[in-house]
Structures are given as C-alpha cells and as structure tokens.
Amino acid sequence: ETGVTQSPTHLIKTRGQQVTLRCSSQSGHNTVSWYQQALGQGPQFIFQYYREEENGRGNFPPRFSGLQFPNYSSELNVNALELDDSALYLCASSTGLAGGGSTDTQYFGPGTRLTVL
Amino acid sequence: AQKITQTQPGMFVQEKEAVTLDCTYDTSDPSYGLFWYKQPSSGEMIFLIYQGSYDQQNATEGRYSLNFQKARKSANLVISASQLGDSAMYFCAMREGWAGGTSYGKLTFGQGTILTVHP
C-alpha cells in the first residue's frame, strides 16, 4: 500500500453535473498529480500540483480544475460532465524534486471510478 | 507520434518461468526517467521499477529487472520466476526531465500489456 488515498471509490453522475474527487497524498510528499484512465487505455495526465500551485497541465479543457491544500491533499473538480468523462481517475503523490528532474517517482492511489449517465 | 509504445497487447507465461514485456520510447530530452507500473484488476497502479537515462547499470528490484538499451530506445521489463499473482496489466511510462511549458510533471504511459500467468 502506498499511503495515497482517494474518495469516493465509485461515483455515478448525470451529464451536465459537477463532481469533486479527493486525494490524500503519502506522508512526506508535497506533489500531487491527477490522471484520467479510460477503459482499456493508459492513464492520461490531467495536471500536477506542487506546494499548492498548478505547475503542469495536460490536454484537458478548463472545466477540469483542481486545488491543493496546505496539508498537500488535493481535489479534482470537473464541471459540466460529459459522457466521455466516464473513467477511472487516479491520483499520484511524489516528493516533487525541486527544479524538475526525471527521477520523481509517483505513487498512485486506488482510484475513483466515475460513471456519467 | 507515440512517445511510449508497448506492442504486446497480451502475453502468457507459465508459472515459475521468466517473461519479457516490451517497451520502446521516443524523446529528444537527454534527461528522462522510465517507469514500469503494474495494475491489477482492482485498478491501483503499483510502482515496480525505475531507470534513469544516465544510469549506467540496468535497474533491478527483486524479481523485476529492466533491460535498458538506450541507443535502441527500449526499456523492456523482465519478470523472473513468474507467480500467479503477477497476472495483471503492465504499463511502461516515461517522464522527461524538462518537458517545459505546461506539461511539467507529466508521466506519459503506453497502452499496456496484459500478462496472464498459467499454473
């Protein structure tokens, strides 16, 4: 177990609604990344938060937004849900090496499975 | 262009035998890291092994080793002495040292390989 937790485990919403997913990072980690994994695909990077600021974003529209709190936990918010938003949402925490670096290993939580009807 | 390519959608191996899962990558960044993750049916991504682009030796972690061939841009995962519990989806991923712009921090994943271990 990584120590990264996510809630809720499963969620069912209808098109047009808004959803908030939550993630608690592993102790000692100050960086949280969010990924979307559609069925049968590899995860796609949504964004990353480092010390409460967004410092990287993938090709996702602005209706995907996030927050990181002083205790380094994080939220992913999705507005105006679409059917294609149905996916497993994974949160990963890491130490966030200052100045970048390719060695920052990300440890994942169990995911939240979102179904949009 | 695909940055991470896993050409084997599915692999089968007999228990206690070794298996190699293929991964090729594409980057112009001289500093990058390569990762392998295991994803059981429960969904959680489990970190297995890491190889840095400047590492001289191939990474090893218990029964996992990474066959890193930099010139060929390949980073194959070798699992020795397969166990029934190794049955899962396996993902190769890359993080570039300085992706720049707005994609900093990004792990790029391949499509995955489903490994089935037979008793």
Side-chain angles (χ1 to χ4, degrees), chain B:
Chain B
Q2 291 276 12
K3 288 211 166 187
I4 296 285
T5 303
Q6 294 181 253
T7 57
Q8 306 154 315
M11 288 286 285
F12 296 89
V13 66
Q14 208 70 27
E15 196 179 7
K16 298 179 187 174
E17 295 194 342
V19 63
T20 298
L21 306 183
D22 294 343
C23 173
T24 57
Y25 60 92
D26 183 29
T27 182
S28 56
D29 194 329
S31 174
Y32 54 89
L34 297 157
F35 303 80
W36 277 92
Y37 287 87
K38 171 184 176 181
Q39 188 175 43
S41 55
S42 60
E44 184 169 354
M45 299 284 278
I46 301 166
F47 167 69
L48 297 177
I49 196 166
Y50 162 82
Q51 179 84 45
S53 57
Y54 295 118
D55 293 344
Q56 296 296 313
Q57 308 259 10
N58 285 343
T60 60
E61 287 286 349
R63 295 187 298 110
Y64 304 107
S65 60
L66 204 151
N67 183 3
F68 180 48
Q69 298 188 44
K70 195 170 181 177
R72 295 176 129 184
K73 293 190 174 178
S74 77
N76 298 338
L77 176 70
V78 181
I79 305 174
S80 62
S82 296
Q83 302 171 355
L84 296 177
D86 293 336
S87 293
M89 177 75 92
Y90 287 80
F91 288 98
C92 179
M94 175 174 65
R95 179 176 175 172
E96 289 155 302
W98 177 244
T102 59
S103 58
Y104 184 73
K106 172 184 178 179
L107 271 179
T108 301
F109 285 82
Q111 292 288 89
T113 296
I114 300 175
L115 176 66
T116 304
V117 181
H118 289 302

Side-chain angles (χ1 to χ4, degrees), chain A:
Chain A
E1 298 238 338
T2 62
V4 180
T5 61
Q6 291 186 245
S7 62
T9 307
H10 295 88
L11 205 50
I12 299 175
K13 292 284 188 178
T14 55
R15 199 169 46 180
Q17 284 189 311
Q18 178 265 342
V19 69
T20 298
L21 309 183
R22 294 178 176 83
C23 171
S24 291
S25 59
Q26 185 172 313
S27 177
H29 287 182
N30 57 19
T31 301
V32 172
S33 305
W34 286 91
Y35 293 83
Q36 180 196 67
Q37 186 179 19
L39 202 59
Q41 305 289 320
Q44 298 290 316
F45 176 72
I46 303 174
F47 43 56
Q48 183 181 80
Y49 278 83
Y50 171 68
R51 293 187 175 178
E52 302 178 59
E53 294 206 0
E54 183 183 297
N55 74 338
R57 189 176 182 93
N59 293 329
F60 280 81
R63 61 189 184 84
F64 285 79
S65 63
L67 280 174
Q68 189 178 33
F69 300 100
N71 66 355
Y72 304 126
S73 66
S74 176
E75 285 183 357
L76 164 65
N77 298 292
V78 187
N79 293 323
L81 283 166
E82 300 176 0
L83 298 179
D84 284 349
D85 295 334
S86 294
L88 179 68
Y89 287 84
L90 294 163
C91 158
S93 77
S94 57
T95 56
L97 297 174
S102 57
T103 62
D104 190 30
T105 299
Q106 296 182 14
Y107 295 91
F108 286 80
T112 293
R113 190 163 296 281
L114 173 65
T115 302
V116 182
L117 302 177

